[in-house]
Amino acid sequence: MLAVRTIVAAALMLAGATISAHAEKRVALVIGNSAYKNATPLKNPANDAEDITKALRNLGFEVISGSDLNSEGMRLTVKEFSDKLVGADVALFYYAGHAVQVDGQNYLAPVDTDLAKRADLDFETVSLDLVRRQMEREAQIQLIFLDSCRNNPLGRSLGPNGRSQGNGTGLARLETAAEGTFIAFATQPDNIALDGEGRNSPFTTAMLKHIDKPGLELSELMTQVRREVYDATGKQQLPWTNSSLLGSFFFKAAEPVPEPTPEEKARAEKLAKLALDAQAWDAVKDSKDIAVFEAFLKDHGDSTYGDLARFNIDKLTPKPEPAPQPVPAPPVVVVEEKPAPVVAETPPVVAAAPTPVDQTPAVSPAPAVEEKPIVTAALAEQPAAQVVETPQEPDKKMTREIQAELDRLGCEPGRADGIWGAKSRDALSDYATHAKVDLASLEPSATLLDDLKAARDRVCPAVVDPPAASPKAKQSIKPTTTKKAAAPVTKRKVATTRKNVQSGSCFRFNGQLICD
């Protein structure tokens, strides 16, 4: 409730200030007396009155003015001013000329003033209180400017009497009798104002310089006047004021400010927010409290300082200890080896013994068959790098059956004992040579057994050992026939091992037994 009353009071004060600055009716009385007959003439008051009158009329005042007025002329002018004050909002009185103070009262001197005794004051001068009473009776605001504290001899003849406290220098201090009054003297009370060397007095010169400045409030105007008069008079004259105004008064209102465009309003609001954000950030940026930055983000999180606040929150937040990471096991490296191709061994070339003329020539051997490495399709398509599985131990029953089939086909695998050895492999190699088949390996398998069983005729050629002979005797070897027709003799693979060499000085080559 108190806040509401405060706002209402402020609004009323602002309204009062507005009335003071833009009064509907302004009335002024301006008098300047220079041509005194019984006192020292003054150079500037008539000029001061003329220039002030012009300035006030330009500021909207209705001005009643007079220069070098005698006693009757001054009273008539004051009466005209009183008549014009009816319904006025602002009343202004400006006087330049001689004046005296007696017993604390101020009297304005017409140009024909002749003071021989104290009683002459009521008839020869115009009391300042008379003018004030007219202004206070009608106007809400009364403004009095007195540039009249000149040093003059009018008061010298008014010596002290039984009831007088004597004559003072300059004018007596004036107190504001009611609210809304402003009084300005060209110098402080009981001091003398200078007439000046130019067209106007120092006080009026400063007044004319600032009175029509837009938006210059009366108190500020008099501050500038006071400073300039004090400097212009070598610090001899200091204007004095007394005020009971309730609001601000402007001789000339401030120039109207154009309404800002929407773009200007938006720009101004943005600048104001940036300034507010910067001020708020300066207040919290050095804090070590997370809650302070969180509160900042609520009001200024969308500003350029929002990211800085989040960074500080993250920096001040305790971080959990990282969990220990398990040590990874070393990778398993599989070395892939490409199997070497199976290449048939080339038998050594041995010259055959010449056949005796007187004996029947032996059967001519079949043309030699060019042996090629045994490479199966499975091996040919095998990748370059591949894990080769170790073959399992063959089944003994199956091994015996394979050995029996090789023996049936005449390939001499030895005894069918289920043990797959070198002799069995040689027999299988002979089978492959004479049957002209390619084998993936020389190991027993179910597929191999099926292929051997499918062969009906003898494959490997039969070999008959001849009777023993002397080393010098050489006889031809006759082939021995079996119950079945002998297969054509072909070149057999001769093993490079010593197991094919017979005892004594004989050896077998291409199915023939050759002896020294």
Side-chain angles (χ1 to χ4, degrees):
M1 191 68 177
L2 180 60
V4 174
R5 291 176 180 175
T6 303
I7 294 172
V8 173
L12 291 176
M13 184 176 294
L14 181 61
T18 303
I19 292 175
S20 299
H22 304 284
E24 294 181 356
K25 185 175 182 180
R26 296 179 172 188
V27 181
L29 171 62
V30 179
I31 297 176
N33 290 334
S34 294
Y36 284 92
K37 299 176 180 179
N38 301 310
T40 305
L42 299 174
K43 182 180 65 173
N44 291 328
N47 297 333
D48 295 338
E50 180 182 353
D51 294 342
I52 288 293
T53 297
K54 184 184 298 184
L56 292 177
R57 283 174 177 166
N58 291 335
L59 294 171
F61 281 83
E62 182 180 356
V63 182
I64 295 91
S65 64
S67 297
D68 296 330
L69 300 177
N70 58 21
S71 179
E72 183 181 4
M74 282 190 67
R75 284 181 169 80
L76 292 175
T77 303
V78 171
K79 183 178 184 307
E80 182 183 0
F81 174 58
S82 178
D83 294 338
K84 296 290 185 181
L85 284 176
V86 177
D89 297 301
V90 178
L92 185 148
F93 176 50
Y94 189 96
Y95 177 76
H98 282 309
V100 294
Q101 64 158 311
V102 176
D103 297 335
Q105 296 296 317
N106 296 309
Y107 298 88
L108 308 178
V111 294
D112 59 350
T113 300
D114 185 11
L115 298 177
K117 55 185 181 299
R118 276 182 51 88
D120 294 337
L121 288 171
D122 294 334
F123 304 100
E124 299 289 334
T125 63
V126 176
S127 172
L128 180 59
D129 286 342
L130 173 65
V131 181
R132 287 187 63 183
R133 287 195 299 270
Q134 311 308 312
M135 298 171 66
E136 292 174 356
R137 183 167 47 243
E138 297 294 342
Q140 300 177 12
I141 297 175
Q142 306 98 47
L143 308 177
I144 300 175
F145 298 89
L146 298 175
D147 189 5
S148 57
C149 304
R150 271 71 168 183
N151 187 18
N152 66 83
L154 290 177
R156 295 175 185 175
S157 59
L158 302 178
N161 55 29
R163 300 191 324 177
S164 174
Q165 301 301 319
N167 300 327
T169 302
L171 295 181
R173 180 187 299 270
L174 290 180
E175 300 297 336
T176 55
E179 68 276 4
T181 301
F182 181 89
I183 302 172
F185 286 93
T187 188
Q188 60 266 47
D190 301 323
N191 282 274
I192 298 173
L194 302 179
D195 194 30
E197 300 297 331
R199 173 179 170 81
N200 303 110
S201 70
F203 179 76
T204 301
T205 298
M207 282 288 297
L208 292 171
K209 181 178 178 180
H210 299 287
I211 196 171
D212 59 351
K213 287 185 176 179
L216 185 61
E217 202 274 331
L218 179 58
S219 297
E220 178 61 25
L221 182 150
M222 290 308 303
T223 299
Q224 297 186 27
V225 168
R226 184 181 299 113
R227 180 172 56 249
E228 293 185 9
V229 170
Y230 189 65
D231 292 339
T233 60
K235 301 182 180 179
Q236 298 180 46
Q237 183 175 331
L238 184 66
W240 174 88
T241 60
N242 191 9
S243 174
S244 63
L245 292 177
L246 299 180
S248 300
F249 179 81
F250 301 87
F251 279 104
K252 187 174 184 178
E255 297 292 341
V257 179
E259 183 70 17
T261 63
E263 292 77 11
E264 292 174 339
K265 288 182 179 180
R267 189 183 306 112
E269 292 174 358
K270 183 177 180 180
L271 292 175
K273 186 177 185 308
L274 288 175
L276 184 62
D277 292 338
Q279 183 179 5
W281 177 249
D282 286 340
V284 304
K285 64 181 181 181
D286 297 326
S287 176
K288 304 299 181 183
D289 190 353
I290 294 178
V292 172
F293 292 107
E294 291 176 343
F296 176 85
L297 288 176
K298 291 181 180 179
D299 297 328
H300 308 278
D302 59 342
S303 70
T304 56
Y305 304 97
D307 290 339
L308 292 175
R310 296 182 189 94
F311 173 78
N312 284 356
I313 291 174
D314 182 69
K315 183 173 65 175
L316 295 173
T317 302
K319 302 298 187 295
E321 293 293 333
Q325 299 295 327
V327 179
V332 178
V333 180
V334 178
V335 180
E336 299 178 349
E337 296 181 355
K338 181 177 180 180
V342 179
V343 181
E345 297 179 354
T346 304
V349 179
V350 180
T355 304
V357 177
D358 56 344
Q359 294 184 2
T360 305
V363 178
S364 298
V369 179
E370 183 180 357
E371 297 184 1
K372 299 180 180 179
I374 302 174
V375 181
T376 63
L379 290 176
E381 297 176 357
Q382 186 176 6
Q386 177 177 335
V387 179
V388 180
E389 298 181 357
T390 304
Q392 299 181 354
E393 185 70 22
D395 181 78
K396 286 190 175 184
K397 178 180 178 183
M398 181 180 64
T399 302
R400 285 194 296 270
E401 292 180 1
I402 292 173
Q403 289 172 336
E405 289 297 323
L406 288 173
D407 184 66
R408 179 178 67 80
L409 298 175
C411 297
E412 301 182 2
R415 186 167 60 88
D417 54 4
I419 299 174
W420 190 261
K423 192 171 184 179
S424 298
R425 292 185 180 89
D426 289 341
L428 181 56
S429 177
D430 288 344
Y431 165 76
T433 300
H434 295 291
K436 298 181 180 180
V437 295
D438 293 334
L439 298 177
S441 70
L442 297 179
E443 299 300 322
S445 65
T447 304
L448 175 61
L449 179 59
D450 293 339
D451 292 342
L452 295 176
K453 287 181 178 181
R456 298 303 181 187
D457 298 328
R458 184 185 183 94
V459 175
C460 296
V463 178
V464 179
D465 294 335
S470 62
K472 296 180 180 179
K474 295 185 176 74
Q475 58 186 16
S476 62
I477 307 301
K478 297 182 180 180
T480 305
T481 60
T482 60
K483 293 180 181 181
K484 295 182 181 179
V489 179
T490 60
K491 182 180 179 181
R492 293 187 61 194
K493 176 182 176 184
V494 180
T496 59
T497 59
R498 296 291 296 174
K499 67 187 181 66
N500 290 333
V501 181
Q502 302 298 323
S503 61
S505 57
C506 300
F507 61 91
R508 183 176 290 119
F509 176 73
N510 286 340
Q512 297 179 356
L513 183 62
I514 302 173
C515 300
D516 293 338

